[in-house]
Structure formats: C-alpha cells, structure tokens
Amino acid sequence: MNRLTKSFILTSSLFLVAGCGSHTADDALMGGAAGAGAGALIGGPVGAGVGGAIGAGTGAVIGSGQDKQDREDGVEYQNPLDN
C-alpha cells in the first residue's frame, strides 16, 4: 500500500470517529471517505478526488433529508458515538 493511501485511511478514520453533529455533515463525511476510497482503487488519485466529491455530495443530500425529518418529528440529533 502506498503512502498516500495509508494517509487517506488514517485521516478518514480519525474524522469518522470524531463525528460532526448532524446527519448532513456525518453522512457527507462518510460518503466522501467511501467515494474517495473506491475512486482511488478504480482510478488512482484522480478517481479518489472525483469519487470523494460524488460521495460527499450524495451523503450530504441523504443526511439533509434525515435532518429535515428529525426537525419535523421534533427529534434532536444524537451522535451514535456519544454515550
């Protein structure tokens, strides 16, 4: 595994552990990490950039819908990593 891939995996895992405080942000982060990882495997560094952007955008759209539903239901966001 090259150094760029190792750095990406380490950075992504640190951000995923931290969480962001909303479905939109958390899902964008997870989607971006997954997209960048898949893109790197398929298309190298350029694929990682494209995959990360597409994954982050898709995750943000999905998370935004979840946040909207939470607001309509009067539910406060609970980070799954906080106990």
Side-chain angles (χ1 to χ4, degrees):
M1 214 184 302
N2 67 23
R3 193 165 46 165
L4 178 64
T5 304
K6 288 179 184 178
S7 298
F8 170 74
I9 291 170
L10 177 61
T11 303
S12 298
S13 64
L14 291 174
F15 282 119
L16 290 174
V17 170
C20 294
S22 71
H23 289 293
T24 302
D26 288 346
D27 290 357
L29 183 63
M30 289 186 287
L41 292 174
I42 295 168
V46 173
V50 172
I54 292 170
T58 303
V61 168
I62 292 169
S64 177
Q66 291 173 323
D67 285 335
K68 181 180 177 185
Q69 186 64 47
D70 282 354
R71 284 191 301 274
E72 289 172 0
D73 295 342
V75 176
E76 184 177 328
Y77 175 76
Q78 295 291 321
N79 188 331
L81 302 175
D82 290 342
N83 290 326

Short mmCIF file of all heavy atoms in Angstrom, two decimals:
data_model
loop_
_atom_site.label_atom_id
_atom_site.label_comp_id
_atom_site.label_asym_id
_atom_site.label_seq_id
_atom_site.Cartn_x
_atom_site.Cartn_y
_atom_site.Cartn_z
N MET A 1 0.86 -1.17 0.00
CA MET A 1 0.00 0.00 0.00
C MET A 1 0.90 1.24 0.00
O MET A 1 1.84 1.31 0.78
CB MET A 1 -0.85 -0.02 1.27
CG MET A 1 -2.22 0.56 1.07
SD MET A 1 -3.24 0.69 2.55
CE MET A 1 -3.35 -0.96 3.15
N ASN A 2 0.59 2.18 -0.85
CA ASN A 2 1.45 3.36 -0.92
C ASN A 2 1.15 4.34 0.22
O ASN A 2 0.17 4.21 0.95
CB ASN A 2 1.37 4.03 -2.29
CG ASN A 2 0.02 4.65 -2.56
OD1 ASN A 2 -0.73 4.97 -1.64
ND2 ASN A 2 -0.30 4.85 -3.82
N ARG A 3 2.02 5.30 0.36
CA ARG A 3 1.92 6.24 1.48
C ARG A 3 0.67 7.10 1.40
O ARG A 3 0.05 7.40 2.42
CB ARG A 3 3.17 7.12 1.50
CG ARG A 3 3.30 7.90 2.76
CD ARG A 3 4.64 8.48 2.97
NE ARG A 3 5.17 9.13 1.78
CZ ARG A 3 6.20 9.96 1.80
NH1 ARG A 3 6.80 10.23 2.92
NH2 ARG A 3 6.64 10.51 0.69
N LEU A 4 0.26 7.50 0.20
CA LEU A 4 -0.95 8.31 0.03
C LEU A 4 -2.19 7.57 0.52
O LEU A 4 -3.02 8.12 1.23
CB LEU A 4 -1.12 8.72 -1.43
CG LEU A 4 -2.36 9.53 -1.77
CD1 LEU A 4 -2.32 10.88 -1.07
CD2 LEU A 4 -2.49 9.71 -3.27
N THR A 5 -2.29 6.30 0.16
CA THR A 5 -3.44 5.50 0.58
C THR A 5 -3.46 5.35 2.10
O THR A 5 -4.51 5.47 2.74
CB THR A 5 -3.41 4.12 -0.09
OG1 THR A 5 -3.35 4.31 -1.50
CG2 THR A 5 -4.62 3.31 0.27
N LYS A 6 -2.32 5.07 2.69
CA LYS A 6 -2.25 4.94 4.15
C LYS A 6 -2.65 6.24 4.84
O LYS A 6 -3.37 6.23 5.83
CB LYS A 6 -0.84 4.53 4.58
CG LYS A 6 -0.49 3.11 4.23
CD LYS A 6 0.93 2.80 4.66
CE LYS A 6 1.34 1.42 4.24
NZ LYS A 6 2.72 1.11 4.59
N SER A 7 -2.16 7.35 4.32
CA SER A 7 -2.51 8.65 4.90
C SER A 7 -4.00 8.92 4.80
O SER A 7 -4.62 9.40 5.75
CB SER A 7 -1.76 9.78 4.20
OG SER A 7 -0.39 9.62 4.36
N PHE A 8 -4.58 8.59 3.65
CA PHE A 8 -6.02 8.79 3.46
C PHE A 8 -6.82 7.95 4.45
O PHE A 8 -7.76 8.43 5.07
CB PHE A 8 -6.41 8.44 2.03
CG PHE A 8 -7.89 8.39 1.83
CD1 PHE A 8 -8.63 9.56 1.79
CD2 PHE A 8 -8.56 7.18 1.75
CE1 PHE A 8 -10.00 9.52 1.64
CE2 PHE A 8 -9.92 7.13 1.60
CZ PHE A 8 -10.65 8.31 1.55
N ILE A 9 -6.47 6.70 4.60
CA ILE A 9 -7.20 5.81 5.50
C ILE A 9 -7.11 6.31 6.94
O ILE A 9 -8.10 6.36 7.66
CB ILE A 9 -6.68 4.36 5.38
CG1 ILE A 9 -7.05 3.79 4.01
CG2 ILE A 9 -7.22 3.49 6.49
CD1 ILE A 9 -6.40 2.47 3.69
N LEU A 10 -5.94 6.72 7.37
CA LEU A 10 -5.76 7.22 8.73
C LEU A 10 -6.56 8.50 8.95
O LEU A 10 -7.28 8.63 9.95
CB LEU A 10 -4.28 7.49 9.01
CG LEU A 10 -3.96 8.08 10.38
CD1 LEU A 10 -4.40 7.13 11.48
CD2 LEU A 10 -2.48 8.38 10.50
N THR A 11 -6.49 9.43 8.02
CA THR A 11 -7.22 10.69 8.15
C THR A 11 -8.72 10.45 8.17
O THR A 11 -9.44 11.01 9.00
CB THR A 11 -6.86 11.64 7.00
OG1 THR A 11 -5.44 11.83 7.00
CG2 THR A 11 -7.55 12.97 7.15
N SER A 12 -9.20 9.60 7.28
CA SER A 12 -10.63 9.30 7.22
C SER A 12 -11.12 8.68 8.50
O SER A 12 -12.17 9.03 9.03
CB SER A 12 -10.94 8.36 6.05
OG SER A 12 -10.61 8.95 4.85
N SER A 13 -10.36 7.74 9.05
CA SER A 13 -10.79 7.08 10.28
C SER A 13 -10.83 8.06 11.45
O SER A 13 -11.72 7.98 12.29
CB SER A 13 -9.89 5.89 10.59
OG SER A 13 -8.57 6.30 10.85
N LEU A 14 -9.92 9.01 11.50
CA LEU A 14 -9.94 10.00 12.58
C LEU A 14 -11.18 10.88 12.49
O LEU A 14 -11.82 11.17 13.50
CB LEU A 14 -8.68 10.87 12.54
CG LEU A 14 -7.38 10.17 12.90
CD1 LEU A 14 -6.20 11.10 12.68
CD2 LEU A 14 -7.41 9.67 14.33
N PHE A 15 -11.55 11.30 11.28
CA PHE A 15 -12.74 12.13 11.11
C PHE A 15 -14.01 11.34 11.42
O PHE A 15 -14.95 11.86 11.99
CB PHE A 15 -12.82 12.71 9.70
CG PHE A 15 -11.92 13.87 9.49
CD1 PHE A 15 -10.92 13.82 8.54
CD2 PHE A 15 -12.06 15.04 10.24
CE1 PHE A 15 -10.08 14.90 8.34
CE2 PHE A 15 -11.23 16.12 10.05
CZ PHE A 15 -10.23 16.05 9.09
N LEU A 16 -14.06 10.08 11.02
CA LEU A 16 -15.25 9.28 11.26
C LEU A 16 -15.46 9.06 12.76
O LEU A 16 -16.59 9.00 13.23
CB LEU A 16 -15.16 7.94 10.53
CG LEU A 16 -15.26 8.04 9.01
CD1 LEU A 16 -15.00 6.67 8.39
CD2 LEU A 16 -16.61 8.55 8.58
N VAL A 17 -14.39 8.92 13.50
CA VAL A 17 -14.52 8.74 14.95
C VAL A 17 -15.03 10.01 15.62
O VAL A 17 -15.81 9.96 16.55
CB VAL A 17 -13.16 8.32 15.55
CG1 VAL A 17 -13.18 8.35 17.06
CG2 VAL A 17 -12.80 6.91 15.07
N ALA A 18 -14.62 11.17 15.10
CA ALA A 18 -14.98 12.44 15.73
C ALA A 18 -16.47 12.76 15.56
O ALA A 18 -17.10 13.26 16.47
CB ALA A 18 -14.15 13.56 15.15
N GLY A 19 -17.05 12.49 14.42
CA GLY A 19 -18.44 12.87 14.16
C GLY A 19 -18.56 14.37 14.00
O GLY A 19 -17.67 15.13 14.39
N CYS A 20 -19.66 14.81 13.43
CA CYS A 20 -19.78 16.24 13.11
C CYS A 20 -20.95 16.93 13.79
O CYS A 20 -20.96 18.14 13.89
CB CYS A 20 -19.90 16.43 11.60
SG CYS A 20 -18.41 15.95 10.73
N GLY A 21 -21.97 16.23 14.19
CA GLY A 21 -23.06 16.89 14.88
C GLY A 21 -24.36 17.01 14.11
O GLY A 21 -25.30 17.61 14.60
N SER A 22 -24.42 16.47 12.91
CA SER A 22 -25.67 16.44 12.15
C SER A 22 -25.60 15.29 11.17
O SER A 22 -24.52 14.84 10.81
CB SER A 22 -25.91 17.76 11.41
OG SER A 22 -25.00 17.88 10.33
N HIS A 23 -26.76 14.83 10.74
CA HIS A 23 -26.78 13.78 9.74
C HIS A 23 -26.12 14.26 8.45
O HIS A 23 -25.39 13.51 7.80
CB HIS A 23 -28.22 13.35 9.42
CG HIS A 23 -28.89 12.59 10.51
ND1 HIS A 23 -28.50 11.34 10.90
CD2 HIS A 23 -29.94 12.92 11.31
CE1 HIS A 23 -29.28 10.92 11.88
NE2 HIS A 23 -30.16 11.87 12.15
N THR A 24 -26.37 15.51 8.08
CA THR A 24 -25.81 16.04 6.83
C THR A 24 -24.29 15.97 6.85
O THR A 24 -23.67 15.45 5.91
CB THR A 24 -26.27 17.50 6.61
OG1 THR A 24 -27.70 17.53 6.58
CG2 THR A 24 -25.73 18.06 5.30
N ALA A 25 -23.69 16.49 7.89
CA ALA A 25 -22.23 16.51 7.97
C ALA A 25 -21.65 15.10 8.11
O ALA A 25 -20.68 14.76 7.43
CB ALA A 25 -21.80 17.38 9.14
N ASP A 26 -22.24 14.29 8.98
CA ASP A 26 -21.72 12.94 9.18
C ASP A 26 -21.85 12.11 7.91
O ASP A 26 -20.92 11.39 7.54
CB ASP A 26 -22.46 12.25 10.32
CG ASP A 26 -22.09 12.80 11.69
OD1 ASP A 26 -21.08 13.53 11.79
OD2 ASP A 26 -22.81 12.50 12.65
N ASP A 27 -22.99 12.18 7.24
CA ASP A 27 -23.19 11.40 6.03
C ASP A 27 -22.30 11.90 4.88
O ASP A 27 -21.83 11.10 4.07
CB ASP A 27 -24.66 11.40 5.61
CG ASP A 27 -25.54 10.60 6.57
OD1 ASP A 27 -25.00 10.00 7.53
OD2 ASP A 27 -26.76 10.57 6.36
N ALA A 28 -22.09 13.21 4.80
CA ALA A 28 -21.19 13.75 3.78
C ALA A 28 -19.76 13.25 4.02
O ALA A 28 -19.06 12.88 3.08
CB ALA A 28 -21.22 15.28 3.78
N LEU A 29 -19.35 13.22 5.26
CA LEU A 29 -18.02 12.75 5.60
C LEU A 29 -17.86 11.27 5.26
O LEU A 29 -16.88 10.87 4.64
CB LEU A 29 -17.75 13.00 7.08
CG LEU A 29 -16.37 12.63 7.60
CD1 LEU A 29 -15.31 13.49 6.90
CD2 LEU A 29 -16.31 12.85 9.09
N MET A 30 -18.83 10.47 5.66
CA MET A 30 -18.75 9.04 5.37
C MET A 30 -18.83 8.76 3.87
O MET A 30 -18.10 7.92 3.34
CB MET A 30 -19.85 8.29 6.12
CG MET A 30 -19.61 8.22 7.61
SD MET A 30 -20.79 7.20 8.48
CE MET A 30 -22.23 8.26 8.44
N GLY A 31 -19.71 9.47 3.18
CA GLY A 31 -19.82 9.30 1.74
C GLY A 31 -18.57 9.73 1.01
O GLY A 31 -18.12 9.06 0.06
N GLY A 32 -17.98 10.82 1.45
CA GLY A 32 -16.74 11.29 0.84
C GLY A 32 -15.60 10.31 1.05
O GLY A 32 -14.82 10.04 0.13
N ALA A 33 -15.50 9.76 2.25
CA ALA A 33 -14.44 8.79 2.53
C ALA A 33 -14.63 7.52 1.71
O ALA A 33 -13.68 7.00 1.12
CB ALA A 33 -14.42 8.47 4.02
N ALA A 34 -15.86 7.02 1.66
CA ALA A 34 -16.14 5.82 0.89
C ALA A 34 -15.91 6.06 -0.60
O ALA A 34 -15.32 5.23 -1.30
CB ALA A 34 -17.56 5.35 1.14
N GLY A 35 -16.38 7.20 -1.10
CA GLY A 35 -16.20 7.52 -2.51
C GLY A 35 -14.74 7.69 -2.88
O GLY A 35 -14.30 7.24 -3.94
N ALA A 36 -13.99 8.35 -2.02
CA ALA A 36 -12.56 8.54 -2.30
C ALA A 36 -11.82 7.21 -2.28
O ALA A 36 -10.95 6.97 -3.11
CB ALA A 36 -11.96 9.51 -1.29
N GLY A 37 -12.17 6.37 -1.34
CA GLY A 37 -11.53 5.05 -1.28
C GLY A 37 -11.83 4.22 -2.51
O GLY A 37 -10.93 3.64 -3.12
N ALA A 38 -13.10 4.18 -2.89
CA ALA A 38 -13.48 3.42 -4.09
C ALA A 38 -12.86 4.04 -5.34
O ALA A 38 -12.36 3.33 -6.22
CB ALA A 38 -15.00 3.38 -4.22
N GLY A 39 -12.88 5.36 -5.42
CA GLY A 39 -12.30 6.04 -6.57
C GLY A 39 -10.81 5.81 -6.69
O GLY A 39 -10.28 5.65 -7.78
N ALA A 40 -10.11 5.77 -5.56
CA ALA A 40 -8.67 5.52 -5.56
C ALA A 40 -8.37 4.11 -6.07
O ALA A 40 -7.41 3.91 -6.82
CB ALA A 40 -8.10 5.72 -4.17
N LEU A 41 -9.18 3.16 -5.67
CA LEU A 41 -8.97 1.79 -6.13
C LEU A 41 -9.25 1.66 -7.63
O LEU A 41 -8.56 0.93 -8.33
CB LEU A 41 -9.88 0.83 -5.36
CG LEU A 41 -9.55 0.64 -3.88
CD1 LEU A 41 -10.61 -0.22 -3.21
CD2 LEU A 41 -8.18 0.00 -3.72
N ILE A 42 -10.24 2.37 -8.11
CA ILE A 42 -10.63 2.25 -9.51
C ILE A 42 -9.80 3.14 -10.42
O ILE A 42 -9.33 2.70 -11.47
CB ILE A 42 -12.13 2.58 -9.68
CG1 ILE A 42 -12.97 1.55 -8.94
CG2 ILE A 42 -12.52 2.64 -11.15
CD1 ILE A 42 -14.43 1.92 -8.79
N GLY A 43 -9.60 4.40 -10.02
CA GLY A 43 -8.97 5.35 -10.93
C GLY A 43 -7.75 6.06 -10.42
O GLY A 43 -7.35 7.08 -10.98
N GLY A 44 -7.16 5.62 -9.33
CA GLY A 44 -5.97 6.28 -8.80
C GLY A 44 -6.31 7.61 -8.15
O GLY A 44 -7.44 7.84 -7.71
N PRO A 45 -5.34 8.52 -8.08
CA PRO A 45 -5.54 9.80 -7.39
C PRO A 45 -6.67 10.65 -7.98
O PRO A 45 -7.43 11.27 -7.24
CB PRO A 45 -4.20 10.51 -7.55
CG PRO A 45 -3.21 9.44 -7.79
CD PRO A 45 -3.95 8.35 -8.51
N VAL A 46 -6.79 10.67 -9.30
CA VAL A 46 -7.87 11.45 -9.91
C VAL A 46 -9.21 10.83 -9.55
O VAL A 46 -10.17 11.53 -9.22
CB VAL A 46 -7.69 11.53 -11.45
CG1 VAL A 46 -8.88 12.19 -12.09
CG2 VAL A 46 -6.41 12.28 -11.79
N GLY A 47 -9.29 9.51 -9.58
CA GLY A 47 -10.52 8.81 -9.21
C GLY A 47 -10.89 9.05 -7.76
O GLY A 47 -12.06 9.14 -7.42
N ALA A 48 -9.88 9.17 -6.90
CA ALA A 48 -10.14 9.45 -5.49
C ALA A 48 -10.80 10.81 -5.32
O ALA A 48 -11.74 10.96 -4.54
CB ALA A 48 -8.85 9.39 -4.69
N GLY A 49 -10.31 11.80 -6.06
CA GLY A 49 -10.90 13.14 -5.98
C GLY A 49 -12.33 13.16 -6.49
O GLY A 49 -13.22 13.72 -5.84
N VAL A 50 -12.55 12.54 -7.63
CA VAL A 50 -13.89 12.51 -8.21
C VAL A 50 -14.83 11.69 -7.33
O VAL A 50 -15.95 12.11 -7.01
CB VAL A 50 -13.85 11.95 -9.65
CG1 VAL A 50 -15.25 11.73 -10.19
CG2 VAL A 50 -13.06 12.87 -10.55
N GLY A 51 -14.39 10.52 -6.90
CA GLY A 51 -15.21 9.67 -6.05
C GLY A 51 -15.53 10.32 -4.72
O GLY A 51 -16.65 10.22 -4.21
N GLY A 52 -14.55 11.01 -4.15
CA GLY A 52 -14.78 11.71 -2.88
C GLY A 52 -15.81 12.81 -3.01
O GLY A 52 -16.68 12.98 -2.16
N ALA A 53 -15.72 13.56 -4.10
CA ALA A 53 -16.69 14.64 -4.32
C ALA A 53 -18.09 14.11 -4.53
O ALA A 53 -19.06 14.61 -3.95
CB ALA A 53 -16.25 15.48 -5.52
N ILE A 54 -18.21 13.08 -5.35
CA ILE A 54 -19.53 12.50 -5.59
C ILE A 54 -20.09 11.86 -4.33
O ILE A 54 -21.26 12.04 -3.99
CB ILE A 54 -19.46 11.48 -6.75
CG1 ILE A 54 -19.17 12.20 -8.06
CG2 ILE A 54 -20.75 10.66 -6.85
CD1 ILE A 54 -18.85 11.29 -9.22
N GLY A 55 -19.24 11.14 -3.60
CA GLY A 55 -19.69 10.51 -2.35
C GLY A 55 -20.10 11.52 -1.30
O GLY A 55 -21.11 11.34 -0.62
N ALA A 56 -19.34 12.60 -1.17
CA ALA A 56 -19.68 13.64 -0.19
C ALA A 56 -20.99 14.32 -0.55
O ALA A 56 -21.84 14.57 0.32
CB ALA A 56 -18.57 14.67 -0.09
N GLY A 57 -21.17 14.62 -1.83
CA GLY A 57 -22.42 15.25 -2.26
C GLY A 57 -23.62 14.36 -2.02
O GLY A 57 -24.66 14.80 -1.52
N THR A 58 -23.50 13.09 -2.37
CA THR A 58 -24.59 12.14 -2.16
C THR A 58 -24.90 11.98 -0.68
O THR A 58 -26.06 11.98 -0.26
CB THR A 58 -24.24 10.78 -2.79
OG1 THR A 58 -23.96 10.97 -4.18
CG2 THR A 58 -25.37 9.79 -2.63
N GLY A 59 -23.86 11.85 0.13
CA GLY A 59 -24.06 11.72 1.58
C GLY A 59 -24.72 12.94 2.18
O GLY A 59 -25.59 12.83 3.05
N ALA A 60 -24.34 14.12 1.71
CA ALA A 60 -24.95 15.35 2.22
C ALA A 60 -26.43 15.43 1.87
O ALA A 60 -27.25 15.86 2.70
CB ALA A 60 -24.22 16.58 1.66
N VAL A 61 -26.79 15.01 0.66
CA VAL A 61 -28.20 15.03 0.26
C VAL A 61 -29.01 14.06 1.13
O VAL A 61 -30.09 14.40 1.62
CB VAL A 61 -28.34 14.68 -1.24
CG1 VAL A 61 -29.78 14.41 -1.61
CG2 VAL A 61 -27.78 15.80 -2.09
N ILE A 62 -28.49 12.88 1.33
CA ILE A 62 -29.19 11.88 2.16
C ILE A 62 -29.30 12.38 3.60
O ILE A 62 -30.36 12.32 4.23
CB ILE A 62 -28.47 10.53 2.09
CG1 ILE A 62 -28.62 9.94 0.69
CG2 ILE A 62 -29.03 9.56 3.14
CD1 ILE A 62 -27.74 8.74 0.42
N GLY A 63 -28.20 12.90 4.16
CA GLY A 63 -28.21 13.39 5.53
C GLY A 63 -29.12 14.58 5.73
O GLY A 63 -29.76 14.73 6.76
N SER A 64 -29.20 15.45 4.72
CA SER A 64 -30.08 16.60 4.79
C SER A 64 -31.54 16.15 4.93
O SER A 64 -32.31 16.74 5.70
CB SER A 64 -29.90 17.48 3.56
OG SER A 64 -30.80 18.56 3.57
N GLY A 65 -31.90 15.12 4.19
CA GLY A 65 -33.25 14.58 4.30
C GLY A 65 -33.52 14.02 5.69
O GLY A 65 -34.61 14.19 6.25
N GLN A 66 -32.51 13.37 6.28
CA GLN A 66 -32.66 12.83 7.63
C GLN A 66 -32.80 13.97 8.65
O GLN A 66 -33.62 13.88 9.57
CB GLN A 66 -31.47 11.95 7.98
CG GLN A 66 -31.42 10.67 7.19
CD GLN A 66 -30.15 9.89 7.45
OE1 GLN A 66 -29.06 10.47 7.60
NE2 GLN A 66 -30.27 8.57 7.49
N ASP A 67 -31.99 15.03 8.48
CA ASP A 67 -32.10 16.17 9.38
C ASP A 67 -33.46 16.84 9.27
O ASP A 67 -34.06 17.24 10.28
CB ASP A 67 -31.00 17.20 9.10
CG ASP A 67 -29.64 16.76 9.60
OD1 ASP A 67 -29.59 15.96 10.55
OD2 ASP A 67 -28.64 17.22 9.04
N LYS A 68 -33.97 16.98 8.07
CA LYS A 68 -35.29 17.58 7.86
C LYS A 68 -36.36 16.75 8.55
O LYS A 68 -37.24 17.30 9.22
CB LYS A 68 -35.58 17.69 6.37
CG LYS A 68 -36.92 18.32 6.07
CD LYS A 68 -37.17 18.41 4.57
CE LYS A 68 -38.56 18.98 4.32
NZ LYS A 68 -38.90 18.98 2.91
N GLN A 69 -36.28 15.44 8.41
CA GLN A 69 -37.26 14.56 9.06
C GLN A 69 -37.17 14.68 10.58
O GLN A 69 -38.19 14.71 11.27
CB GLN A 69 -37.05 13.11 8.63
CG GLN A 69 -38.11 12.16 9.13
CD GLN A 69 -39.48 12.48 8.55
OE1 GLN A 69 -39.62 12.68 7.36
NE2 GLN A 69 -40.47 12.53 9.40
N ASP A 70 -35.95 14.75 11.11
CA ASP A 70 -35.78 14.93 12.56
C ASP A 70 -36.42 16.22 13.04
O ASP A 70 -37.06 16.26 14.09
CB ASP A 70 -34.29 14.92 12.93
CG ASP A 70 -33.69 13.53 12.96
OD1 ASP A 70 -34.43 12.54 12.81
OD2 ASP A 70 -32.45 13.44 13.13
N ARG A 71 -36.24 17.32 12.28
CA ARG A 71 -36.85 18.59 12.67
C ARG A 71 -38.37 18.50 12.66
O ARG A 71 -39.04 19.02 13.55
CB ARG A 71 -36.38 19.71 11.74
CG ARG A 71 -34.97 20.20 12.01
CD ARG A 71 -34.64 21.47 11.25
NE ARG A 71 -34.76 21.35 9.81
CZ ARG A 71 -33.82 20.89 8.99
NH1 ARG A 71 -32.66 20.50 9.48
NH2 ARG A 71 -34.02 20.83 7.68
N GLU A 72 -38.92 17.84 11.64
CA GLU A 72 -40.38 17.69 11.57
C GLU A 72 -40.91 16.84 12.72
O GLU A 72 -42.00 17.09 13.22
CB GLU A 72 -40.77 17.05 10.23
CG GLU A 72 -40.57 17.98 9.05
CD GLU A 72 -40.79 17.29 7.71
OE1 GLU A 72 -41.10 16.07 7.68
OE2 GLU A 72 -40.64 17.96 6.67
N ASP A 73 -40.14 15.85 13.14
CA ASP A 73 -40.56 14.97 14.23
C ASP A 73 -40.22 15.55 15.60
O ASP A 73 -40.62 14.98 16.62
CB ASP A 73 -39.89 13.60 14.09
CG ASP A 73 -40.33 12.84 12.85
OD1 ASP A 73 -41.37 13.20 12.26
OD2 ASP A 73 -39.61 11.90 12.45
N GLY A 74 -39.47 16.65 15.64
CA GLY A 74 -39.07 17.25 16.91
C GLY A 74 -38.02 16.44 17.64
O GLY A 74 -37.93 16.47 18.85
N VAL A 75 -37.19 15.72 16.88
CA VAL A 75 -36.16 14.87 17.47
C VAL A 75 -34.82 15.59 17.36
O VAL A 75 -34.48 16.14 16.32
CB VAL A 75 -36.10 13.52 16.72
CG1 VAL A 75 -34.97 12.66 17.25
CG2 VAL A 75 -37.42 12.80 16.80
N GLU A 76 -34.05 15.55 18.44
CA GLU A 76 -32.72 16.15 18.43
C GLU A 76 -31.71 15.12 17.93
O GLU A 76 -31.79 13.93 18.26
CB GLU A 76 -32.34 16.59 19.84
CG GLU A 76 -31.01 17.30 19.91
CD GLU A 76 -30.70 17.78 21.32
OE1 GLU A 76 -31.64 18.11 22.06
OE2 GLU A 76 -29.51 17.81 21.66
N TYR A 77 -30.75 15.58 17.14
CA TYR A 77 -29.71 14.67 16.60
C TYR A 77 -28.91 14.08 17.73
O TYR A 77 -28.45 14.77 18.64
CB TYR A 77 -28.80 15.43 15.64
CG TYR A 77 -27.65 14.59 15.14
CD1 TYR A 77 -27.85 13.62 14.17
CD2 TYR A 77 -26.38 14.73 15.66
CE1 TYR A 77 -26.82 12.83 13.72
CE2 TYR A 77 -25.32 13.95 15.21
CZ TYR A 77 -25.55 12.99 14.25
OH TYR A 77 -24.53 12.21 13.79
N GLN A 78 -28.72 12.77 17.69
CA GLN A 78 -27.88 12.08 18.66
C GLN A 78 -26.74 11.40 17.91
O GLN A 78 -26.96 10.54 17.07
CB GLN A 78 -28.69 10.99 19.40
CG GLN A 78 -29.80 11.53 20.25
CD GLN A 78 -29.27 12.28 21.45
OE1 GLN A 78 -28.28 11.90 22.06
NE2 GLN A 78 -29.92 13.39 21.79
N ASN A 79 -25.53 11.84 18.20
CA ASN A 79 -24.36 11.23 17.58
C ASN A 79 -24.26 9.78 18.06
O ASN A 79 -24.26 9.52 19.26
CB ASN A 79 -23.10 11.99 17.96
CG ASN A 79 -21.88 11.52 17.20
OD1 ASN A 79 -21.77 10.37 16.80
ND2 ASN A 79 -20.93 12.43 17.04
N PRO A 80 -24.21 8.80 17.16
CA PRO A 80 -24.16 7.41 17.58
C PRO A 80 -22.92 7.04 18.35
O PRO A 80 -22.88 6.03 19.03
CB PRO A 80 -24.24 6.63 16.26
CG PRO A 80 -23.88 7.59 15.19
CD PRO A 80 -24.22 8.96 15.71
N LEU A 81 -21.87 7.88 18.29
CA LEU A 81 -20.65 7.59 19.00
C LEU A 81 -20.64 8.15 20.42
O LEU A 81 -19.77 7.80 21.21
CB LEU A 81 -19.45 8.15 18.22
CG LEU A 81 -19.31 7.59 16.80
CD1 LEU A 81 -18.18 8.30 16.09
CD2 LEU A 81 -19.07 6.10 16.83
N ASP A 82 -21.58 9.03 20.75
CA ASP A 82 -21.68 9.58 22.09
C ASP A 82 -22.56 8.68 22.95
O ASP A 82 -23.64 8.28 22.55
CB ASP A 82 -22.31 10.98 22.07
CG ASP A 82 -21.40 12.02 21.45
OD1 ASP A 82 -20.18 11.75 21.36
OD2 ASP A 82 -21.89 13.07 21.04
N ASN A 83 -22.11 8.40 24.13
CA ASN A 83 -22.91 7.57 25.04
C ASN A 83 -23.26 8.32 26.28
O ASN A 83 -22.70 9.10 26.82
CB ASN A 83 -22.15 6.29 25.40
CG ASN A 83 -22.06 5.36 24.22
OD1 ASN A 83 -22.95 5.29 23.40
ND2 ASN A 83 -20.96 4.64 24.14
#
